[in-house]
Amino acid sequence: MKRIYLDNAATTQILPEVVKTMTDVLNAAYGNPSSTHTEGRQARSIIERARKSVAESIGASIGEIFFTSGGTESNNMAIKNAVRDLGVRRIITSKIEHHCVLHSVEQVHLTDKVNVAFVDNDHTGRIDLSHLEKVLSSNPELPTLVSIMHANNEIGTINPIAEIGEICKRTGAYFHSDTVQTVGHFPIDVSKLNVHFISGAAHKFHGPKGIGFVYINSDVHIKPFIDGGAQERNMRGGTENISGIAGLANALELSFKEMERHRQYIQGLKDYFWTKLKSNIPDIIYHGCPENSLYTVLNIGLPPNPKNEMLLMLLDIQGVSASGGSACSSGSEKPSHVIQALNSPLGTKAVRFSFSQFNTRSEIDRVIELLTNIYAPEPKVFTV
Ligand SMILES: Cc1ncc(COP(=O)(O)O)c(C=O)c1O
């Protein structure tokens, strides 16, 4: 049975071209990039070429890109360094950020006594901009970092980061946006945004795991995040992951090359899936904001059903990989903090399906059939 992988917001399948790039680098560029001999210089040039390519694709300058181990580290770095090095005393964030943001914020609150305020979101996961302005204006002298994600990884809702950036600019706040779900899927031009930090992770756009980057606007000066050697211009000590860096840059280049074609194709799959589910399953809910959503993510609320608790396992047994999050009032599954913040009706089963260019219409048909059989079975006709 060929499996149907619909968990691309968790991670994506690496592209064969990227594997080739990485293998070539692993085999050929084994020098330490900090060494001054030929092998070292060869490894260094691979890293710097990758940095240039990443910088160009998001409108940054070369000195603004720092390679990290992924989205989690990039977000930790932005938040913790802003507090330590920029004098930030207040963080304004939302309740539906990724845990790496929420837990970093919690940590600086506990250790540095940084003030934390949460900006409201509506029932679709959109940030309330007027509430953000109100919170910002309540204590204008407090050095502030606003940390609001570009797109939510569970429900796909996209926030207007250009507008948020403008609000931050007016009030003099620093702005960090977790862009892990949008880098490689949407054009992002930091030169046109008032943003100080954004983050990216290669495994979300068909690159390798364990490698990412943080963009740090050249106007902000922060100190090393990992103490050690002078790697990443003193910001992150440790010998670089050269093949990962080359793989990240290659995956990002490929994603930009085909972005519009993939966007249209994947959006078509998502729209088809939702239209069919909506007509087949009574009381199904769309979690998120259909008009402003990642084309790669569809999160649905399925009506109460005895099979809800086992749904993901049942799908897995049938060869379908999806992921959960639940608004149930009891039972073993822990409700997702994102779904909870949307006030989805109790008893609803939240399931996230997330798509890639490798999914097909017939795969989607198969999942529609499976879900319809559980949630809207054909009435049985008995003949005597
Ligand atoms: C929005 C968002 N931020 C951060 C991360 C963390 O990225 P990584 O797994 O590369 O550490 C993820 C990954 O799930 C994510 O979706």
Side-chain angles (χ1 to χ4, degrees), residues 1-7 273 311-323 353 363 366-367 370:
M1 171 175 61
K2 189 174 172 295
R3 291 194 58 84
I4 301 174
Y5 183 74
L6 294 177
D7 200 14
F273 195 18
L311 181 65
L312 292 174
M313 202 175 71
L314 290 174
L315 288 173
D316 193 24
I317 292 166
Q318 295 295 326
V320 179
S321 303
S323 81
F353 295 98
E363 289 181 337
R366 171 80 185 126
V367 184
L370 287 169

mmCIF file with all atom_site columns, all heavy atoms in Angstrom, residues 1-7 273 311-323 353 363 366-367 370:
data_model
loop_
_atom_site.group_PDB
_atom_site.id
_atom_site.type_symbol
_atom_site.label_atom_id
_atom_site.label_alt_id
_atom_site.label_comp_id
_atom_site.label_asym_id
_atom_site.label_entity_id
_atom_site.label_seq_id
_atom_site.pdbx_PDB_ins_code
_atom_site.Cartn_x
_atom_site.Cartn_y
_atom_site.Cartn_z
_atom_site.occupancy
_atom_site.B_iso_or_equiv
_atom_site.pdbx_formal_charge
_atom_site.auth_seq_id
_atom_site.auth_comp_id
_atom_site.auth_asym_id
_atom_site.auth_atom_id
_atom_site.pdbx_PDB_model_num
ATOM 1   N N   . MET A 1 1   ? 0.851   -1.197 0.000  1.00 0.00 ? 1   MET A N   1
ATOM 2   C CA  . MET A 1 1   ? 0.000   0.000  0.000  1.00 0.00 ? 1   MET A CA  1
ATOM 3   C C   . MET A 1 1   ? 0.892   1.254  0.000  1.00 0.00 ? 1   MET A C   1
ATOM 4   O O   . MET A 1 1   ? 1.764   1.383  0.860  1.00 0.00 ? 1   MET A O   1
ATOM 5   C CB  . MET A 1 1   ? -0.877  -0.025 1.257  1.00 0.00 ? 1   MET A CB  1
ATOM 6   C CG  . MET A 1 1   ? -1.657  1.246  1.504  1.00 0.00 ? 1   MET A CG  1
ATOM 7   S SD  . MET A 1 1   ? -2.791  1.101  2.916  1.00 0.00 ? 1   MET A SD  1
ATOM 8   C CE  . MET A 1 1   ? -1.697  0.764  4.281  1.00 0.00 ? 1   MET A CE  1
ATOM 9   N N   . LYS A 1 2   ? 0.644   2.137  -0.965 1.00 0.00 ? 2   LYS A N   1
ATOM 10  C CA  . LYS A 1 2   ? 1.410   3.391  -0.985 1.00 0.00 ? 2   LYS A CA  1
ATOM 11  C C   . LYS A 1 2   ? 0.792   4.333  0.045  1.00 0.00 ? 2   LYS A C   1
ATOM 12  O O   . LYS A 1 2   ? -0.411  4.559  0.031  1.00 0.00 ? 2   LYS A O   1
ATOM 13  C CB  . LYS A 1 2   ? 1.348   4.010  -2.382 1.00 0.00 ? 2   LYS A CB  1
ATOM 14  C CG  . LYS A 1 2   ? 2.279   5.180  -2.542 1.00 0.00 ? 2   LYS A CG  1
ATOM 15  C CD  . LYS A 1 2   ? 2.290   5.682  -3.984 1.00 0.00 ? 2   LYS A CD  1
ATOM 16  C CE  . LYS A 1 2   ? 3.078   6.965  -4.117 1.00 0.00 ? 2   LYS A CE  1
ATOM 17  N NZ  . LYS A 1 2   ? 2.501   8.114  -3.399 1.00 0.00 ? 2   LYS A NZ  1
ATOM 18  N N   . ARG A 1 3   ? 1.613   4.825  0.931  1.00 0.00 ? 3   ARG A N   1
ATOM 19  C CA  . ARG A 1 3   ? 1.077   5.680  1.992  1.00 0.00 ? 3   ARG A CA  1
ATOM 20  C C   . ARG A 1 3   ? 0.735   7.074  1.446  1.00 0.00 ? 3   ARG A C   1
ATOM 21  O O   . ARG A 1 3   ? 1.306   7.529  0.443  1.00 0.00 ? 3   ARG A O   1
ATOM 22  C CB  . ARG A 1 3   ? 2.081   5.775  3.147  1.00 0.00 ? 3   ARG A CB  1
ATOM 23  C CG  . ARG A 1 3   ? 2.213   4.435  3.896  1.00 0.00 ? 3   ARG A CG  1
ATOM 24  C CD  . ARG A 1 3   ? 2.928   4.624  5.205  1.00 0.00 ? 3   ARG A CD  1
ATOM 25  N NE  . ARG A 1 3   ? 2.270   5.574  6.091  1.00 0.00 ? 3   ARG A NE  1
ATOM 26  C CZ  . ARG A 1 3   ? 1.264   5.278  6.915  1.00 0.00 ? 3   ARG A CZ  1
ATOM 27  N NH1 . ARG A 1 3   ? 0.795   4.033  6.973  1.00 0.00 ? 3   ARG A NH1 1
ATOM 28  N NH2 . ARG A 1 3   ? 0.731   6.199  7.691  1.00 0.00 ? 3   ARG A NH2 1
ATOM 29  N N   . ILE A 1 4   ? -0.189  7.719  2.150  1.00 0.00 ? 4   ILE A N   1
ATOM 30  C CA  . ILE A 1 4   ? -0.612  9.066  1.768  1.00 0.00 ? 4   ILE A CA  1
ATOM 31  C C   . ILE A 1 4   ? -0.124  10.005 2.856  1.00 0.00 ? 4   ILE A C   1
ATOM 32  O O   . ILE A 1 4   ? -0.638  9.983  3.977  1.00 0.00 ? 4   ILE A O   1
ATOM 33  C CB  . ILE A 1 4   ? -2.154  9.125  1.611  1.00 0.00 ? 4   ILE A CB  1
ATOM 34  C CG1 . ILE A 1 4   ? -2.601  8.110  0.545  1.00 0.00 ? 4   ILE A CG1 1
ATOM 35  C CG2 . ILE A 1 4   ? -2.618  10.537 1.272  1.00 0.00 ? 4   ILE A CG2 1
ATOM 36  C CD1 . ILE A 1 4   ? -4.112  7.964  0.411  1.00 0.00 ? 4   ILE A CD1 1
ATOM 37  N N   . TYR A 1 5   ? 0.879   10.794 2.538  1.00 0.00 ? 5   TYR A N   1
ATOM 38  C CA  . TYR A 1 5   ? 1.499   11.653 3.561  1.00 0.00 ? 5   TYR A CA  1
ATOM 39  C C   . TYR A 1 5   ? 0.871   13.048 3.516  1.00 0.00 ? 5   TYR A C   1
ATOM 40  O O   . TYR A 1 5   ? 1.081   13.815 2.573  1.00 0.00 ? 5   TYR A O   1
ATOM 41  C CB  . TYR A 1 5   ? 3.017   11.730 3.319  1.00 0.00 ? 5   TYR A CB  1
ATOM 42  C CG  . TYR A 1 5   ? 3.724   12.536 4.395  1.00 0.00 ? 5   TYR A CG  1
ATOM 43  C CD1 . TYR A 1 5   ? 3.922   12.004 5.667  1.00 0.00 ? 5   TYR A CD1 1
ATOM 44  C CD2 . TYR A 1 5   ? 4.166   13.831 4.146  1.00 0.00 ? 5   TYR A CD2 1
ATOM 45  C CE1 . TYR A 1 5   ? 4.542   12.744 6.668  1.00 0.00 ? 5   TYR A CE1 1
ATOM 46  C CE2 . TYR A 1 5   ? 4.790   14.581 5.137  1.00 0.00 ? 5   TYR A CE2 1
ATOM 47  C CZ  . TYR A 1 5   ? 4.969   14.026 6.399  1.00 0.00 ? 5   TYR A CZ  1
ATOM 48  O OH  . TYR A 1 5   ? 5.585   14.760 7.380  1.00 0.00 ? 5   TYR A OH  1
ATOM 49  N N   . LEU A 1 6   ? 0.085   13.340 4.547  1.00 0.00 ? 6   LEU A N   1
ATOM 50  C CA  . LEU A 1 6   ? -0.583  14.655 4.611  1.00 0.00 ? 6   LEU A CA  1
ATOM 51  C C   . LEU A 1 6   ? -0.185  15.363 5.911  1.00 0.00 ? 6   LEU A C   1
ATOM 52  O O   . LEU A 1 6   ? -1.041  15.866 6.640  1.00 0.00 ? 6   LEU A O   1
ATOM 53  C CB  . LEU A 1 6   ? -2.096  14.481 4.511  1.00 0.00 ? 6   LEU A CB  1
ATOM 54  C CG  . LEU A 1 6   ? -2.630  13.948 3.176  1.00 0.00 ? 6   LEU A CG  1
ATOM 55  C CD1 . LEU A 1 6   ? -4.134  13.747 3.231  1.00 0.00 ? 6   LEU A CD1 1
ATOM 56  C CD2 . LEU A 1 6   ? -2.271  14.881 2.019  1.00 0.00 ? 6   LEU A CD2 1
ATOM 57  N N   . ASP A 1 7   ? 1.106   15.359 6.193  1.00 0.00 ? 7   ASP A N   1
ATOM 58  C CA  . ASP A 1 7   ? 1.592   16.021 7.404  1.00 0.00 ? 7   ASP A CA  1
ATOM 59  C C   . ASP A 1 7   ? 2.789   16.922 7.069  1.00 0.00 ? 7   ASP A C   1
ATOM 60  O O   . ASP A 1 7   ? 3.790   16.956 7.790  1.00 0.00 ? 7   ASP A O   1
ATOM 61  C CB  . ASP A 1 7   ? 1.965   14.974 8.470  1.00 0.00 ? 7   ASP A CB  1
ATOM 62  C CG  . ASP A 1 7   ? 1.992   15.575 9.867  1.00 0.00 ? 7   ASP A CG  1
ATOM 63  O OD1 . ASP A 1 7   ? 1.479   16.708 10.042 1.00 0.00 ? 7   ASP A OD1 1
ATOM 64  O OD2 . ASP A 1 7   ? 2.512   14.926 10.783 1.00 0.00 ? 7   ASP A OD2 1
ATOM 65  N N   . PHE A 1 273 ? -10.571 19.305 -1.453 1.00 0.00 ? 273 PHE A N   1
ATOM 66  C CA  . PHE A 1 273 ? -10.723 18.509 -0.236 1.00 0.00 ? 273 PHE A CA  1
ATOM 67  C C   . PHE A 1 273 ? -11.808 19.121 0.649  1.00 0.00 ? 273 PHE A C   1
ATOM 68  O O   . PHE A 1 273 ? -12.751 18.459 1.084  1.00 0.00 ? 273 PHE A O   1
ATOM 69  C CB  . PHE A 1 273 ? -9.366  18.501 0.486  1.00 0.00 ? 273 PHE A CB  1
ATOM 70  C CG  . PHE A 1 273 ? -9.201  17.461 1.568  1.00 0.00 ? 273 PHE A CG  1
ATOM 71  C CD1 . PHE A 1 273 ? -10.022 16.350 1.650  1.00 0.00 ? 273 PHE A CD1 1
ATOM 72  C CD2 . PHE A 1 273 ? -8.172  17.592 2.505  1.00 0.00 ? 273 PHE A CD2 1
ATOM 73  C CE1 . PHE A 1 273 ? -9.841  15.397 2.651  1.00 0.00 ? 273 PHE A CE1 1
ATOM 74  C CE2 . PHE A 1 273 ? -7.980  16.644 3.500  1.00 0.00 ? 273 PHE A CE2 1
ATOM 75  C CZ  . PHE A 1 273 ? -8.815  15.549 3.582  1.00 0.00 ? 273 PHE A CZ  1
ATOM 76  N N   . LEU A 1 311 ? -9.119  8.386  15.817 1.00 0.00 ? 311 LEU A N   1
ATOM 77  C CA  . LEU A 1 311 ? -9.164  8.721  14.395 1.00 0.00 ? 311 LEU A CA  1
ATOM 78  C C   . LEU A 1 311 ? -7.789  8.708  13.716 1.00 0.00 ? 311 LEU A C   1
ATOM 79  O O   . LEU A 1 311 ? -7.621  8.112  12.649 1.00 0.00 ? 311 LEU A O   1
ATOM 80  C CB  . LEU A 1 311 ? -9.840  10.092 14.183 1.00 0.00 ? 311 LEU A CB  1
ATOM 81  C CG  . LEU A 1 311 ? -9.934  10.502 12.722 1.00 0.00 ? 311 LEU A CG  1
ATOM 82  C CD1 . LEU A 1 311 ? -10.851 9.556  11.946 1.00 0.00 ? 311 LEU A CD1 1
ATOM 83  C CD2 . LEU A 1 311 ? -10.431 11.935 12.585 1.00 0.00 ? 311 LEU A CD2 1
ATOM 84  N N   . LEU A 1 312 ? -6.812  9.350  14.345 1.00 0.00 ? 312 LEU A N   1
ATOM 85  C CA  . LEU A 1 312 ? -5.500  9.436  13.695 1.00 0.00 ? 312 LEU A CA  1
ATOM 86  C C   . LEU A 1 312 ? -4.886  8.054  13.531 1.00 0.00 ? 312 LEU A C   1
ATOM 87  O O   . LEU A 1 312 ? -4.225  7.769  12.526 1.00 0.00 ? 312 LEU A O   1
ATOM 88  C CB  . LEU A 1 312 ? -4.567  10.356 14.482 1.00 0.00 ? 312 LEU A CB  1
ATOM 89  C CG  . LEU A 1 312 ? -4.971  11.829 14.450 1.00 0.00 ? 312 LEU A CG  1
ATOM 90  C CD1 . LEU A 1 312 ? -4.075  12.646 15.363 1.00 0.00 ? 312 LEU A CD1 1
ATOM 91  C CD2 . LEU A 1 312 ? -4.924  12.385 13.035 1.00 0.00 ? 312 LEU A CD2 1
ATOM 92  N N   . MET A 1 313 ? -5.145  7.189  14.532 1.00 0.00 ? 313 MET A N   1
ATOM 93  C CA  . MET A 1 313 ? -4.615  5.821  14.449 1.00 0.00 ? 313 MET A CA  1
ATOM 94  C C   . MET A 1 313 ? -5.323  5.046  13.327 1.00 0.00 ? 313 MET A C   1
ATOM 95  O O   . MET A 1 313 ? -4.688  4.337  12.548 1.00 0.00 ? 313 MET A O   1
ATOM 96  C CB  . MET A 1 313 ? -4.814  5.125  15.781 1.00 0.00 ? 313 MET A CB  1
ATOM 97  C CG  . MET A 1 313 ? -3.879  3.966  16.004 1.00 0.00 ? 313 MET A CG  1
ATOM 98  S SD  . MET A 1 313 ? -4.121  3.322  17.646 1.00 0.00 ? 313 MET A SD  1
ATOM 99  C CE  . MET A 1 313 ? -5.706  2.544  17.487 1.00 0.00 ? 313 MET A CE  1
ATOM 100 N N   . LEU A 1 314 ? -6.662  5.244  13.246 1.00 0.00 ? 314 LEU A N   1
ATOM 101 C CA  . LEU A 1 314 ? -7.420  4.564  12.179 1.00 0.00 ? 314 LEU A CA  1
ATOM 102 C C   . LEU A 1 314 ? -6.926  5.001  10.795 1.00 0.00 ? 314 LEU A C   1
ATOM 103 O O   . LEU A 1 314 ? -6.753  4.187  9.897  1.00 0.00 ? 314 LEU A O   1
ATOM 104 C CB  . LEU A 1 314 ? -8.919  4.873  12.295 1.00 0.00 ? 314 LEU A CB  1
ATOM 105 C CG  . LEU A 1 314 ? -9.659  4.251  13.473 1.00 0.00 ? 314 LEU A CG  1
ATOM 106 C CD1 . LEU A 1 314 ? -11.087 4.757  13.532 1.00 0.00 ? 314 LEU A CD1 1
ATOM 107 C CD2 . LEU A 1 314 ? -9.631  2.734  13.369 1.00 0.00 ? 314 LEU A CD2 1
ATOM 108 N N   . LEU A 1 315 ? -6.678  6.306  10.671 1.00 0.00 ? 315 LEU A N   1
ATOM 109 C CA  . LEU A 1 315 ? -6.179  6.811  9.384  1.00 0.00 ? 315 LEU A CA  1
ATOM 110 C C   . LEU A 1 315 ? -4.800  6.221  9.095  1.00 0.00 ? 315 LEU A C   1
ATOM 111 O O   . LEU A 1 315 ? -4.500  5.807  7.970  1.00 0.00 ? 315 LEU A O   1
ATOM 112 C CB  . LEU A 1 315 ? -6.102  8.344  9.392  1.00 0.00 ? 315 LEU A CB  1
ATOM 113 C CG  . LEU A 1 315 ? -7.433  9.103  9.340  1.00 0.00 ? 315 LEU A CG  1
ATOM 114 C CD1 . LEU A 1 315 ? -7.210  10.600 9.533  1.00 0.00 ? 315 LEU A CD1 1
ATOM 115 C CD2 . LEU A 1 315 ? -8.156  8.853  8.012  1.00 0.00 ? 315 LEU A CD2 1
ATOM 116 N N   . ASP A 1 316 ? -3.975  6.180  10.130 1.00 0.00 ? 316 ASP A N   1
ATOM 117 C CA  . ASP A 1 316 ? -2.610  5.657  9.963  1.00 0.00 ? 316 ASP A CA  1
ATOM 118 C C   . ASP A 1 316 ? -2.661  4.200  9.484  1.00 0.00 ? 316 ASP A C   1
ATOM 119 O O   . ASP A 1 316 ? -1.945  3.808  8.557  1.00 0.00 ? 316 ASP A O   1
ATOM 120 C CB  . ASP A 1 316 ? -1.862  5.786  11.303 1.00 0.00 ? 316 ASP A CB  1
ATOM 121 C CG  . ASP A 1 316 ? -0.373  5.566  11.154 1.00 0.00 ? 316 ASP A CG  1
ATOM 122 O OD1 . ASP A 1 316 ? 0.151   5.773  10.039 1.00 0.00 ? 316 ASP A OD1 1
ATOM 123 O OD2 . ASP A 1 316 ? 0.270   5.187  12.145 1.00 0.00 ? 316 ASP A OD2 1
ATOM 124 N N   . ILE A 1 317 ? -3.555  3.421  10.105 1.00 0.00 ? 317 ILE A N   1
ATOM 125 C CA  . ILE A 1 317 ? -3.673  2.008  9.713  1.00 0.00 ? 317 ILE A CA  1
ATOM 126 C C   . ILE A 1 317 ? -4.099  1.899  8.240  1.00 0.00 ? 317 ILE A C   1
ATOM 127 O O   . ILE A 1 317 ? -3.684  1.019  7.511  1.00 0.00 ? 317 ILE A O   1
ATOM 128 C CB  . ILE A 1 317 ? -4.687  1.267  10.633 1.00 0.00 ? 317 ILE A CB  1
ATOM 129 C CG1 . ILE A 1 317 ? -4.094  1.171  12.037 1.00 0.00 ? 317 ILE A CG1 1
ATOM 130 C CG2 . ILE A 1 317 ? -5.048  -0.110 10.093 1.00 0.00 ? 317 ILE A CG2 1
ATOM 131 C CD1 . ILE A 1 317 ? -5.113  0.778  13.104 1.00 0.00 ? 317 ILE A CD1 1
ATOM 132 N N   . GLN A 1 318 ? -4.914  2.878  7.813  1.00 0.00 ? 318 GLN A N   1
ATOM 133 C CA  . GLN A 1 318 ? -5.366  2.890  6.410  1.00 0.00 ? 318 GLN A CA  1
ATOM 134 C C   . GLN A 1 318 ? -4.333  3.543  5.486  1.00 0.00 ? 318 GLN A C   1
ATOM 135 O O   . GLN A 1 318 ? -4.594  3.805  4.315  1.00 0.00 ? 318 GLN A O   1
ATOM 136 C CB  . GLN A 1 318 ? -6.687  3.663  6.286  1.00 0.00 ? 318 GLN A CB  1
ATOM 137 C CG  . GLN A 1 318 ? -7.865  3.022  7.000  1.00 0.00 ? 318 GLN A CG  1
ATOM 138 C CD  . GLN A 1 318 ? -8.246  1.673  6.406  1.00 0.00 ? 318 GLN A CD  1
ATOM 139 O OE1 . GLN A 1 318 ? -8.134  1.469  5.193  1.00 0.00 ? 318 GLN A OE1 1
ATOM 140 N NE2 . GLN A 1 318 ? -8.668  0.737  7.247  1.00 0.00 ? 318 GLN A NE2 1
ATOM 141 N N   . GLY A 1 319 ? -3.180  3.890  6.024  1.00 0.00 ? 319 GLY A N   1
ATOM 142 C CA  . GLY A 1 319 ? -2.086  4.410  5.189  1.00 0.00 ? 319 GLY A CA  1
ATOM 143 C C   . GLY A 1 319 ? -2.063  5.916  5.061  1.00 0.00 ? 319 GLY A C   1
ATOM 144 O O   . GLY A 1 319 ? -1.384  6.453  4.173  1.00 0.00 ? 319 GLY A O   1
ATOM 145 N N   . VAL A 1 320 ? -2.794  6.624  5.952  1.00 0.00 ? 320 VAL A N   1
ATOM 146 C CA  . VAL A 1 320 ? -2.861  8.089  5.835  1.00 0.00 ? 320 VAL A CA  1
ATOM 147 C C   . VAL A 1 320 ? -2.189  8.743  7.043  1.00 0.00 ? 320 VAL A C   1
ATOM 148 O O   . VAL A 1 320 ? -2.540  8.457  8.187  1.00 0.00 ? 320 VAL A O   1
ATOM 149 C CB  . VAL A 1 320 ? -4.333  8.571  5.759  1.00 0.00 ? 320 VAL A CB  1
ATOM 150 C CG1 . VAL A 1 320 ? -4.400  10.098 5.666  1.00 0.00 ? 320 VAL A CG1 1
ATOM 151 C CG2 . VAL A 1 320 ? -5.043  7.930  4.576  1.00 0.00 ? 320 VAL A CG2 1
ATOM 152 N N   . SER A 1 321 ? -1.232  9.617  6.793  1.00 0.00 ? 321 SER A N   1
ATOM 153 C CA  . SER A 1 321 ? -0.573  10.342 7.885  1.00 0.00 ? 321 SER A CA  1
ATOM 154 C C   . SER A 1 321 ? -1.124  11.751 7.960  1.00 0.00 ? 321 SER A C   1
ATOM 155 O O   . SER A 1 321 ? -1.015  12.525 7.003  1.00 0.00 ? 321 SER A O   1
ATOM 156 C CB  . SER A 1 321 ? 0.935   10.420 7.639  1.00 0.00 ? 321 SER A CB  1
ATOM 157 O OG  . SER A 1 321 ? 1.453   9.132  7.509  1.00 0.00 ? 321 SER A OG  1
ATOM 158 N N   . ALA A 1 322 ? -1.731  12.057 9.126  1.00 0.00 ? 322 ALA A N   1
ATOM 159 C CA  . ALA A 1 322 ? -2.215  13.420 9.385  1.00 0.00 ? 322 ALA A CA  1
ATOM 160 C C   . ALA A 1 322 ? -1.848  13.719 10.822 1.00 0.00 ? 322 ALA A C   1
ATOM 161 O O   . ALA A 1 322 ? -1.235  12.892 11.500 1.00 0.00 ? 322 ALA A O   1
ATOM 162 C CB  . ALA A 1 322 ? -3.720  13.491 9.169  1.00 0.00 ? 322 ALA A CB  1
ATOM 163 N N   . SER A 1 323 ? -2.212  14.891 11.309 1.00 0.00 ? 323 SER A N   1
ATOM 164 C CA  . SER A 1 323 ? -1.884  15.150 12.704 1.00 0.00 ? 323 SER A CA  1
ATOM 165 C C   . SER A 1 323 ? -3.056  15.779 13.434 1.00 0.00 ? 323 SER A C   1
ATOM 166 O O   . SER A 1 323 ? -4.018  16.238 12.809 1.00 0.00 ? 323 SER A O   1
ATOM 167 C CB  . SER A 1 323 ? -0.618  15.983 12.823 1.00 0.00 ? 323 SER A CB  1
ATOM 168 O OG  . SER A 1 323 ? -0.925  17.316 12.618 1.00 0.00 ? 323 SER A OG  1
ATOM 169 N N   . PHE A 1 353 ? -4.638  18.427 8.110  1.00 0.00 ? 353 PHE A N   1
ATOM 170 C CA  . PHE A 1 353 ? -4.090  17.809 6.908  1.00 0.00 ? 353 PHE A CA  1
ATOM 171 C C   . PHE A 1 353 ? -3.207  18.860 6.262  1.00 0.00 ? 353 PHE A C   1
ATOM 172 O O   . PHE A 1 353 ? -3.629  20.016 6.096  1.00 0.00 ? 353 PHE A O   1
ATOM 173 C CB  . PHE A 1 353 ? -5.206  17.408 5.939  1.00 0.00 ? 353 PHE A CB  1
ATOM 174 C CG  . PHE A 1 353 ? -6.102  16.331 6.487  1.00 0.00 ? 353 PHE A CG  1
ATOM 175 C CD1 . PHE A 1 353 ? -7.322  16.645 7.073  1.00 0.00 ? 353 PHE A CD1 1
ATOM 176 C CD2 . PHE A 1 353 ? -5.718  14.999 6.440  1.00 0.00 ? 353 PHE A CD2 1
ATOM 177 C CE1 . PHE A 1 353 ? -8.147  15.664 7.598  1.00 0.00 ? 353 PHE A CE1 1
ATOM 178 C CE2 . PHE A 1 353 ? -6.541  13.995 6.959  1.00 0.00 ? 353 PHE A CE2 1
ATOM 179 C CZ  . PHE A 1 353 ? -7.758  14.337 7.541  1.00 0.00 ? 353 PHE A CZ  1
ATOM 180 N N   . GLU A 1 363 ? -5.245  10.705 -4.053 1.00 0.00 ? 363 GLU A N   1
ATOM 181 C CA  . GLU A 1 363 ? -4.972  10.540 -2.614 1.00 0.00 ? 363 GLU A CA  1
ATOM 182 C C   . GLU A 1 363 ? -6.036  11.259 -1.787 1.00 0.00 ? 363 GLU A C   1
ATOM 183 O O   . GLU A 1 363 ? -6.537  10.746 -0.786 1.00 0.00 ? 363 GLU A O   1
ATOM 184 C CB  . GLU A 1 363 ? -3.588  11.114 -2.256 1.00 0.00 ? 363 GLU A CB  1
ATOM 185 C CG  . GLU A 1 363 ? -2.420  10.290 -2.790 1.00 0.00 ? 363 GLU A CG  1
ATOM 186 C CD  . GLU A 1 363 ? -1.069  10.887 -2.396 1.00 0.00 ? 363 GLU A CD  1
ATOM 187 O OE1 . GLU A 1 363 ? -0.979  12.095 -2.111 1.00 0.00 ? 363 GLU A OE1 1
ATOM 188 O OE2 . GLU A 1 363 ? -0.087  10.129 -2.384 1.00 0.00 ? 363 GLU A OE2 1
ATOM 189 N N   . ARG A 1 366 ? -9.255  9.395  -1.680 1.00 0.00 ? 366 ARG A N   1
ATOM 190 C CA  . ARG A 1 366 ? -9.195  8.250  -0.749 1.00 0.00 ? 366 ARG A CA  1
ATOM 191 C C   . ARG A 1 366 ? -9.479  8.722  0.689  1.00 0.00 ? 366 ARG A C   1
ATOM 192 O O   . ARG A 1 366 ? -10.226 8.084  1.429  1.00 0.00 ? 366 ARG A O   1
ATOM 193 C CB  . ARG A 1 366 ? -7.805  7.610  -0.860 1.00 0.00 ? 366 ARG A CB  1
ATOM 194 C CG  . ARG A 1 366 ? -7.496  6.571  0.173  1.00 0.00 ? 366 ARG A CG  1
ATOM 195 C CD  . ARG A 1 366 ? -8.122  5.220  -0.172 1.00 0.00 ? 366 ARG A CD  1
ATOM 196 N NE  . ARG A 1 366 ? -7.896  4.269  0.905  1.00 0.00 ? 366 ARG A NE  1
ATOM 197 C CZ  . ARG A 1 366 ? -8.853  3.586  1.520  1.00 0.00 ? 366 ARG A CZ  1
ATOM 198 N NH1 . ARG A 1 366 ? -10.111 3.729  1.165  1.00 0.00 ? 366 ARG A NH1 1
ATOM 199 N NH2 . ARG A 1 366 ? -8.572  2.741  2.472  1.00 0.00 ? 366 ARG A NH2 1
ATOM 200 N N   . VAL A 1 367 ? -8.901  9.861  1.074  1.00 0.00 ? 367 VAL A N   1
ATOM 201 C CA  . VAL A 1 367 ? -9.099  10.354 2.448  1.00 0.00 ? 367 VAL A CA  1
ATOM 202 C C   . VAL A 1 367 ? -10.537 10.842 2.622  1.00 0.00 ? 367 VAL A C   1
ATOM 203 O O   . VAL A 1 367 ? -11.158 10.615 3.666  1.00 0.00 ? 367 VAL A O   1
ATOM 204 C CB  . VAL A 1 367 ? -8.075  11.462 2.797  1.00 0.00 ? 367 VAL A CB  1
ATOM 205 C CG1 . VAL A 1 367 ? -8.226  11.888 4.250  1.00 0.00 ? 367 VAL A CG1 1
ATOM 206 C CG2 . VAL A 1 367 ? -6.651  10.975 2.555  1.00 0.00 ? 367 VAL A CG2 1
ATOM 207 N N   . LEU A 1 370 ? -12.580 7.785  3.256  1.00 0.00 ? 370 LEU A N   1
ATOM 208 C CA  . LEU A 1 370 ? -12.384 7.254  4.613  1.00 0.00 ? 370 LEU A CA  1
ATOM 209 C C   . LEU A 1 370 ? -13.155 8.088  5.642  1.00 0.00 ? 370 LEU A C   1
ATOM 210 O O   . LEU A 1 370 ? -13.850 7.541  6.501  1.00 0.00 ? 370 LEU A O   1
ATOM 211 C CB  . LEU A 1 370 ? -10.892 7.260  4.981  1.00 0.00 ? 370 LEU A CB  1
ATOM 212 C CG  . LEU A 1 370 ? -10.018 6.204  4.304  1.00 0.00 ? 370 LEU A CG  1
ATOM 213 C CD1 . LEU A 1 370 ? -8.533  6.494  4.547  1.00 0.00 ? 370 LEU A CD1 1
ATOM 214 C CD2 . LEU A 1 370 ? -10.364 4.814  4.834  1.00 0.00 ? 370 LEU A CD2 1
#
